[in-house]
Amino acid sequence: MSLGQALATAMSGLRVTQASLALVSSNVANAESPGYARKTLNQITGVTGDFGSSVRINGVNRELDQYLQTQIRTETSGASYAQVRSTYLANLQSVYGNPDSAGTIEDAFNKLTTAVQGLSTSPDSASARIGVVNAAQALAQQLNATTQGIQNLRANAETGINDSINVANNALKQIALINNQLQNNGRTDAATASLLDQRDQYIDQMSQLMDIRVVTNNLNQVTLFTNSGVQLVGTEAAQLSFNPQGTMTPNTLYDPNPLKNNVGTITIDFPHGGSYDLVATNAIRSGKLAAYLELRDNSLVKAQAQIDQFAASMSSALSDQTTTAVAAPASALPQAGFDLDLTGLQTGNVAHITYKDNITGLTHNLSIMRVDDPSILPLSNNATLDPKDEVLGIDFSGGMASVVTQLNAALGASASLQFSNPSGSTLRVLDDGATNRVDVTAASVTRTVSSLTSGSAQLPLFTDGGVAYTGALTATGAQQTGLAGRISVNGALIGDPSRTIVYSTSPLTAAGDTERSDFILNQLMTGSYRYSPESGIGTTGTPFTGTLLNFVRQVISMQGEAASSAALLADGQEVVLNTLQNKMNATSGVNIDDEMAHLLALQNSYSANARVMSTVKDMYDVLIAAM
């Protein structure tokens, strides 16, 4: 080997050693930096003839396990989803309160029943009457406050979506920018490795927000897709947009139909035109965004539906009066049936008819619901809570003649029933007489009592913001939706608490009469009711049935179990993520001890190359001196 070749070899060694020292310094300096991957130098042998004559730098390596990185991003999405849900459901538990403490729906309900018990014991006591009204007001206020708490959580979820979209758009923009920088430089030096670290951090941000799939090309550029296949970014970034709706109420609900939707939705606008609704197409399935959407549009909506159902069932239990129809007169023979008095029937109230089809042997339960908004017709059978009901919505706006026409058109030919209006508000339903195809076996009318002194024990103790709760259905939704936030005690009862006992003024209810207070207590304590499956309890075929207190406890129990399950899932996801992260740190993280050992080796290498250069210099000096 010539002296020149020896000098060149030593100098190449020094250059590589200096570059390695710079990487060790960078590794140590960034040991605690999030997203930093340990860097090493890729060295190759320079060959002259048949022998290696130098060492050359062939790029900078990032010590990265890409398969493990993909797993971490998948688990990051799952952990973010689980953590957000766990936090919100824990907060929902705080809204409901501890079942064993004051300031809960159950506590307020128990205090109302205790007050009514006291009234039945002392019906003439003014303080007992006022006590019932005050307890009812406290329960209504508790339902109002619970509604506000739930809607605040939904509003927070909407804000969370908006903030996440801003983070996502910035991350997508930065990923596209780095992709273009990589395309332009074509190198694998330390600066490029640093760019890849930065890009990975933005990709990791995206994995927290949604489930993503990353595809890398031969230029080290990446393309991000959602797992549903929507492209988010390549060398150009798509733009996500969100239209938050501000104040959240029980009636602001998501609907895939844009004309009916009144909450924010997420739209992606592609760089070269076109857009896509990511919510309507269920394109986001994990991460924070998916959790916020699920909470806003499902879990918290069901929580609201549960307390709305309780408020509706309690209101109806006290104000609904069912009257059995009277048999049709003998003049109707050979047809037989019933006369139903529809006086006072309000929108949402129902007339019930039971008839038997003698050909098939089947018994039909027909519920005829008064509807004042014909745009919602026809009604589905789940408009009532009885799974055996066949529901028929009838528009009453045209009077009794129109009602009869609608009923005969709907049931005359198919069910062989005949309807007529003999007088006033009477609806007569008859079978088919001699042909004996059907028999009308029972009929009744359930109407909402709107007066405190109707002569019956029923009373509108609770109102929907001052108007009667009748279970009305309109194009804007069911009256039940959001009722818990609007429920209040009847203003007339607050002005005259004696009506908690006095149900008739002509004749005047006798002193000491406890019929009304006993009725209220029975309805609250032992009355059994069906509850809508929209609350998440029970199913359409087998709706949950029980007392009001049973339903409240079922709601609290279900929410407690949901919060516990969400917390366990979040903890489990965190364990999995931490385990994977520890494995990644072992592969890609900086170990200070290893770096110090490497530093010592580099120092020795530097000294050896420097010694070679010094020796070559000395030999040149000797040769020059000898000339």
Side-chain angles (χ1 to χ4, degrees):
M1 176 183 292
S2 67
L3 290 179
Q5 185 177 355
L7 182 61
T9 299
M11 290 182 66
S12 70
L14 282 178
R15 283 194 295 269
V16 170
T17 302
Q18 286 176 329
S20 295
L21 287 169
L23 283 184
V24 170
S25 175
S26 176
N27 287 340
V28 172
N30 290 282
E32 301 298 327
S33 298
Y36 181 83
R38 182 166 59 90
K39 311 294 189 302
T40 60
L41 210 59
N42 188 21
Q43 304 174 27
I44 61 173
T45 301
V47 179
T48 301
D50 295 331
F51 303 97
S53 61
S54 64
V55 61
R56 290 190 297 153
I57 299 172
N58 190 35
V60 174
N61 294 324
R62 294 195 310 151
E63 299 299 323
L64 196 64
D65 186 329
Q66 292 185 345
Y67 175 77
L68 195 56
Q69 185 182 54
T70 299
Q71 291 298 107
I72 286 177
R73 286 170 177 164
T74 299
E75 295 302 330
T76 296
S77 295
S80 298
Y81 177 90
Q83 186 57 55
V84 169
R85 286 197 78 250
S86 177
T87 300
Y88 270 70
L89 292 181
N91 290 338
L92 179 59
Q93 282 293 95
S94 299
V95 170
Y96 283 124
N98 189 328
D100 298 326
S101 64
T104 66
I105 295 175
E106 182 178 357
D107 176 65
F109 180 80
N110 287 333
K111 287 178 178 177
L112 174 59
T113 58
T114 299
V116 177
Q117 286 175 328
L119 179 61
S120 285
T121 301
S122 305
D124 295 328
S125 168
S127 62
R129 296 172 177 180
I130 294 173
V132 168
V133 173
N134 289 342
Q137 285 183 299
L139 176 55
Q141 290 165 2
Q142 186 62 48
L143 289 169
N144 299 159
T146 302
T147 293
Q148 188 60 52
I150 293 172
Q151 297 311 311
N152 285 343
L153 289 176
R154 292 186 70 218
N156 291 342
E158 180 115 326
T159 300
I161 296 171
N162 192 55
D163 293 342
S164 297
I165 293 301
N166 292 332
V167 172
N169 280 327
N170 179 66
L172 294 176
K173 179 181 177 181
Q174 295 301 322
I175 292 169
L177 179 63
I178 294 172
N179 275 341
N180 284 295
Q181 289 177 310
L182 293 171
Q183 183 180 25
N184 295 330
N185 68 26
R187 298 189 297 270
T188 57
D189 55 11
T192 299
S194 179
L195 282 177
L196 295 177
D197 280 352
Q198 293 176 37
R199 189 181 66 186
D200 278 350
Q201 290 187 57
Y202 289 118
I203 296 174
D204 291 342
Q205 285 183 16
M206 290 300 300
S207 72
Q208 292 178 6
L209 301 177
M210 63 180 73
D211 50 315
I212 58 172
R213 179 166 55 90
V214 183
V215 178
T216 307
N217 65 15
N218 58 356
L219 294 177
N220 232 343
Q221 297 169 314
V222 298
T223 303
L224 259 65
F225 300 86
T226 67
N227 276 336
S228 59
V230 180
Q231 182 173 328
L232 299 169
V233 64
T235 54
E236 294 179 297
Q239 179 78 15
L240 300 178
S241 60
F242 181 67
N243 53 332
Q245 298 301 298
T247 304
M248 195 71 65
T249 72
N251 295 96
T252 51
L253 301 171
Y254 176 77
D255 194 294
N257 182 345
L259 298 177
K260 297 180 180 179
N261 180 46
N262 46 26
V263 295
T265 192
I266 302 172
T267 304
I268 182 169
D269 297 310
F270 299 107
H272 299 289
S275 62
Y276 195 73
D277 190 328
L278 296 177
V279 179
T281 55
N282 193 32
I284 303 174
R285 301 168 183 171
S286 190
K288 288 183 178 181
L289 280 170
Y292 287 134
L293 290 169
E294 193 282 331
L295 288 160
R296 185 197 68 178
D297 301 334
N298 185 23
S299 292
L300 295 176
V301 171
K302 283 186 177 179
Q304 182 65 51
Q306 289 165 357
I307 61 169
D308 285 343
Q309 177 65 81
F310 172 76
S313 297
M314 181 173 63
S315 299
S316 296
L318 299 178
S319 63
D320 280 4
Q321 181 183 49
T322 298
T323 305
T324 302
V326 298
S331 59
L333 294 174
Q335 294 174 290
F338 294 90
D339 283 353
L340 298 91
D341 184 2
L342 303 187
T343 302
L345 196 73
Q346 301 182 59
T347 179
N349 289 169
V350 178
H352 308 275
I353 297 172
T354 302
Y355 66 96
K356 181 179 180 182
D357 187 327
N358 293 319
I359 296 176
T360 63
L362 295 176
T363 296
H364 298 264
N365 297 311
L366 176 65
S367 288
I368 302 171
M369 179 177 290
R370 173 169 177 164
V371 174
D372 288 353
D373 185 351
S375 68
I376 66 171
L377 297 176
L379 299 180
S380 65
N381 281 340
N382 61 8
T384 66
L385 298 179
D386 190 340
K388 298 179 181 179
D389 269 3
E390 299 172 12
V391 180
L392 181 61
I394 297 296
D395 176 14
F396 274 64
S397 61
M400 287 301 297
S402 173
V403 169
V404 168
T405 300
Q406 293 174 68
L407 288 170
N408 283 326
L411 298 165
S414 61
S416 298
L417 298 178
Q418 179 183 322
F419 294 88
S420 61
N421 172 223
S423 63
S425 298
T426 299
L427 176 67
R428 177 171 294 170
V429 55
L430 300 174
D431 61 22
D432 55 350
T435 57
N436 198 33
R437 179 187 169 184
V438 297
D439 289 326
V440 182
T441 57
S444 63
V445 178
T446 299
R447 60 173 59 83
T448 301
V449 173
S450 56
S451 170
L452 293 174
T453 53
S454 64
S456 64
Q458 287 83 3
L459 80 164
L461 175 58
F462 295 101
T463 66
D464 180 359
V467 300
Y469 175 74
T470 63
L473 301 175
T474 66
T476 58
Q479 185 183 10
Q480 178 176 308
T481 302
L483 177 63
R486 305 186 304 268
I487 193 171
S488 61
V489 175
N490 193 320
L493 191 62
I494 296 173
D496 187 0
S498 70
R499 298 315 187 207
T500 55
I501 288 293
V502 177
Y503 57 86
S504 174
T505 55
S506 181
L508 184 65
T509 302
D513 189 326
T514 62
E515 180 178 351
R516 172 164 280 180
S517 60
D518 290 344
F519 167 78
I520 296 173
L521 187 62
N522 179 72
Q523 295 297 92
L524 295 178
M525 293 288 291
T526 62
S528 185
Y529 314 100
R530 292 189 182 93
Y531 303 91
S532 171
E534 291 182 3
S535 65
I537 300 175
T539 64
T540 301
T542 55
F544 179 78
T545 302
T547 65
L548 291 167
L549 188 57
N550 284 342
F551 181 71
V552 168
R553 288 174 174 170
Q554 183 72 16
V555 167
I556 294 173
S557 174
M558 190 183 79
Q559 292 295 348
E561 290 175 2
S564 297
S565 297
L568 288 174
L569 178 60
D571 290 343
Q573 285 286 130
E574 193 66 26
V575 169
V576 172
L577 184 59
N578 286 338
T579 300
L580 290 173
Q581 193 63 59
N582 289 336
K583 290 182 178 180
M584 176 64 85
N585 290 340
T587 303
S588 305
V590 176
N591 185 304
I592 298 296
D593 292 338
D594 291 344
E595 295 299 319
M596 291 299 100
H598 190 202
L599 179 61
L600 290 175
L602 290 173
Q603 288 174 335
N604 292 333
S605 175
Y606 190 93
S607 297
N609 284 295
R611 191 175 300 113
V612 170
M613 293 182 67
S614 177
T615 300
V616 170
K617 175 183 178 300
D618 291 342
M619 294 178 71
Y620 270 120
D621 289 343
V622 170
L623 290 173
I624 291 172
M627 292 178 63

